[in-house]
Amino acid sequence: MLACVFVCAACGLVYELELVALASYLIGDSVTQASVVLSVMVFAMGIGSLAAKRLRPRAAAGFGAVEAALALVGGCSAMALYAVFAWTGAWGGVWADGPRALLVGFSLAIGVLIGAEVPLLMELIQRIRRQDAGGAVADLFAADYVGALVGGLAFPFLLLPWLGQLEGALLTGTVNAVAGGALVLGLFRRDLTRRGRWLLLVANVTVLGLLASAALLVDDFERAARHAVYGNDVRVALQSDVQEVVLTGGEPGRPVDLFLDGRLRVSGRDEYRYHEALVHPAMESGPHARVLILGGGDGLAAREVMRHTRVRRLDVVELDAEVLRLARHDRALSALNRHVFDNPRVHVHTADAFRWLRQDRRQYDVVIADLPDPGITASTKLYSQEFYGLARRALAPGGRLVVHAGSVTSRPRVFWTAEATMRAAGLRTVPYRVDSRAPGLAAGPDRAAAAGAFRGPRDWGFVLGAARAWPEVRLDPRGPRLRTLNQKALVADVAAAEGMRIGGVAASTLVHPRYGD
């Protein structure tokens, strides 16, 4: 009996974590998604516990039905959420839209079913061995909490890396159905009528059949959903230790696109606009013999840096080894970055940017932060006052730090929060913005993808900072020839950004992050 409680508790926690993880991958902002899923689920568990009081006279039949329903709903939840994301469009910004409503709906349904387990299990335990209520509660919750521990550890270390989101949820549902059905049809079969036993058996066999069918079709489903999101020319799709990485295109007439967790990081159509604006104003406004790029594992910012002949050393610090591997060895992506990682002056490090700055004591003339969008929770620490303080320490005398801080037009509060945070870290800053020039075809870390639609910002916002003197945003006429950027346009871009300034914006810190829409 307690072994069944252990297994069911493990399965229940896996369902919760699976919803949190999938919502974070597809929507972003993991703190918000975890808060929504867990709070709704705990609330629903209370509702389920109250509702289960009416099932206590038929506790065995009720528990069998609850476990069969939980196995089906929890096991299929990941496929349903991914299908809605892939075929109905991006997750909107209001709670009333379909995908978000489905996420809340699954959290409610799974929470109600998990909450109904405890009163029914308490009733069944009392039928096996009469004991005081305190002892029964202690036994039940001991098995429940230990099972939750095992489920919580199994999800990130076993299910997610070995099976992935979809197959992991289906396997969990299968285990849940077998455990619940075996308990009721084994230990408590005499509590059921003959008709009740047959109904429960048929229900469990049906659930297991549906889960098995879904498992057989999951590869085809995943390919179809991926094509619905990214188009029909997906060449590489993998889940690294850090994120989902997808490459599309790369054939003649089909520019290569790199997606990280569903966000278009690189578009071969126009990526040069973003990378020229990120790199060259910082490089050409002073010395640039030693350069550090934080992020930029695709090699495109490094490509622009190495166009400057005076660069003696370039260090690239990238968290995801798979992105670096593709940038080196994928034919289309390595051609786009001009095989920059084969240059002996380029040194690549697989590490977290924050940790690297804490441990590294070298100083650089230019530090380039080519990082994910600041509005993503996982990236918030890389746009904090503490992070910019570490980056300031890494600057040589006269050194500059340039940061991509999101769109000035689309997300002004996020942009000006990043600028205020840099100033709070002791940097003198000059913001500037660059038009994307091709609405809907904007490369860089600001564009999300869903159902084949890519919505980009109207501009990119950058902040150039220096520790001592005010930095000068300028282009050297003797520098590399650029495709779109020029000094006149850059001066106008600085004035345009300054004209959009928002006052009263506070700095963001590790303990008080202020990014978000």
Side-chain angles (χ1 to χ4, degrees):
M1 177 74 190
L2 293 178
C4 178
V5 175
F6 171 89
V7 172
C8 292
C11 293
L13 195 63
V14 169
Y15 298 141
E16 295 181 26
L17 296 175
E18 168 255 316
L19 286 179
V20 170
L22 190 61
S24 299
Y25 289 161
L26 300 181
I27 308 175
D29 193 359
S30 56
V31 170
T32 299
Q33 309 320 320
S35 300
V36 169
V37 170
L38 296 179
S39 59
V40 168
M41 196 167 286
V42 171
F43 163 77
M45 287 169 64
I47 301 297
S49 295
L50 289 174
K53 292 169 65 176
R54 297 190 176 185
L55 298 176
R56 289 180 60 194
R58 299 180 179 179
F63 182 75
V66 164
E67 292 308 298
L70 181 58
L72 183 62
V73 174
C76 295
S77 58
M79 290 186 72
L81 287 168
Y82 193 37
V84 171
F85 171 77
W87 279 288
T88 68
W91 301 71
V94 295
W95 287 105
D97 69 0
R100 287 184 184 267
L102 187 64
L103 174 65
V104 174
F106 271 114
S107 302
L108 281 169
I110 293 173
V112 166
L113 294 170
I114 292 175
E117 290 177 331
V118 175
L120 299 176
L121 286 168
M122 182 69 71
E123 182 72 22
L124 294 176
I125 285 179
Q126 293 286 354
R127 293 182 186 180
I128 292 178
R129 182 180 64 191
R130 290 292 177 182
Q131 62 183 125
D132 63 280
V137 169
D139 290 343
L140 178 63
F141 280 100
D144 186 81
Y145 292 154
V146 174
L149 170 66
V150 173
L153 295 177
F155 178 74
F157 296 115
L158 296 176
L159 294 177
L160 195 58
W162 287 4
L163 297 176
Q165 290 273 20
L166 306 185
E167 291 180 276
L170 293 171
L171 177 62
T172 303
T174 301
V175 172
N176 200 164
V178 170
L183 177 69
V184 176
L185 295 174
L187 288 180
F188 297 100
R189 60 185 179 276
R190 293 181 180 178
D191 290 9
L192 304 177
T193 64
R194 179 182 178 86
R195 182 170 177 270
R197 287 195 294 268
W198 277 105
L199 285 175
L200 185 58
L201 181 62
V202 169
N204 276 279
V205 170
T206 301
V207 169
L208 291 174
L210 291 172
L211 294 174
S213 300
L216 291 175
L217 298 172
V218 71
D219 289 337
D220 292 335
F221 167 83
E222 193 169 354
R223 279 193 295 270
R226 187 177 292 120
H227 289 158
V229 175
Y230 300 111
N232 295 322
D233 55 350
V234 176
R235 290 194 298 106
V236 176
L238 56 90
Q239 180 69 49
S240 72
D241 293 337
V242 179
Q243 60 203 337
E244 182 189 51
V245 182
V246 174
L247 275 178
T248 67
E251 303 298 330
R254 295 182 178 180
V256 63
D257 289 338
L258 171 64
F259 298 87
L260 303 179
D261 276 347
R263 295 176 179 271
L264 182 59
R265 178 70 187 187
V266 170
S267 172
R269 300 173 183 85
D270 60 355
E271 54 79 19
Y272 58 88
R273 291 178 175 139
Y274 167 81
H275 290 102
E276 286 184 354
L278 172 69
V279 172
H280 293 288
M283 293 290 292
E284 298 181 21
S285 57
H288 49 259
R290 295 178 60 88
V291 181
L292 171 65
I293 296 178
L294 303 172
D298 49 56
L300 300 174
R303 176 200 66 196
E304 295 300 317
V305 168
M306 296 311 295
R307 294 177 65 187
H308 294 266
T309 57
R310 294 183 181 178
V311 175
R312 296 202 309 266
R313 180 185 176 101
L314 168 61
D315 287 292
V316 178
V317 179
E318 166 62 44
L319 180 62
D320 196 337
E322 288 295 331
V323 173
L324 289 170
R325 183 183 64 81
L326 290 172
R328 287 180 183 273
H329 302 297
D330 182 80
R331 175 180 47 80
L333 188 56
S334 62
L336 191 62
N337 65 39
R338 299 178 188 172
H339 306 277
V340 68
F341 291 138
D342 295 334
N343 192 312
R345 290 178 291 162
V346 178
H347 303 266
V348 179
H349 313 273
T350 304
D352 175 76
F354 198 103
R355 184 176 301 174
W356 172 270
L357 288 177
R358 290 189 68 180
Q359 298 175 349
D360 186 53
R361 290 296 185 268
R362 283 172 287 193
Q363 291 191 319
Y364 298 89
D365 298 311
V366 181
V367 176
I368 299 170
D370 186 16
L371 299 166
D373 189 279
I376 303 172
T377 303
S379 304
T380 301
K381 72 174 184 178
L382 304 179
Y383 291 84
S384 65
Q385 182 176 337
E386 293 85 346
F387 179 79
Y388 292 136
L390 294 172
R392 180 177 181 272
R393 187 181 68 181
L395 294 177
R400 288 87 61 208
L401 166 68
V402 63
V403 174
H404 164 259
S407 171
V408 185
T409 304
S410 303
R411 305 180 68 191
R413 181 158 291 275
V414 170
F415 177 84
W416 292 109
T417 297
E419 193 266 348
T421 303
M422 291 177 66
R423 285 191 284 108
L427 293 165
R428 302 187 178 192
T429 61
V430 177
Y432 62 102
R433 62 180 288 273
V434 176
D435 286 334
S436 68
R437 313 276 180 93
L441 289 176
D446 296 322
R447 183 168 69 175
F454 307 106
R455 291 194 289 272
R458 285 180 287 174
D459 61 9
W460 301 294
F462 305 93
V463 182
L464 183 63
R468 298 182 180 179
W470 288 98
E472 183 181 359
V473 181
R474 63 180 176 85
L475 296 176
D476 189 339
R478 297 167 297 177
R481 183 176 180 181
L482 306 182
R483 298 173 65 174
T484 58
L485 206 59
N486 60 69
Q487 181 62 33
K488 182 178 179 181
L490 192 57
V491 171
D493 291 333
V494 172
E498 193 60 42
M500 299 180 186
R501 178 179 290 276
I502 296 176
V505 179
S508 179
T509 67
L510 289 178
V511 296
H512 196 164
R514 298 180 183 275
Y515 295 102
D517 292 323

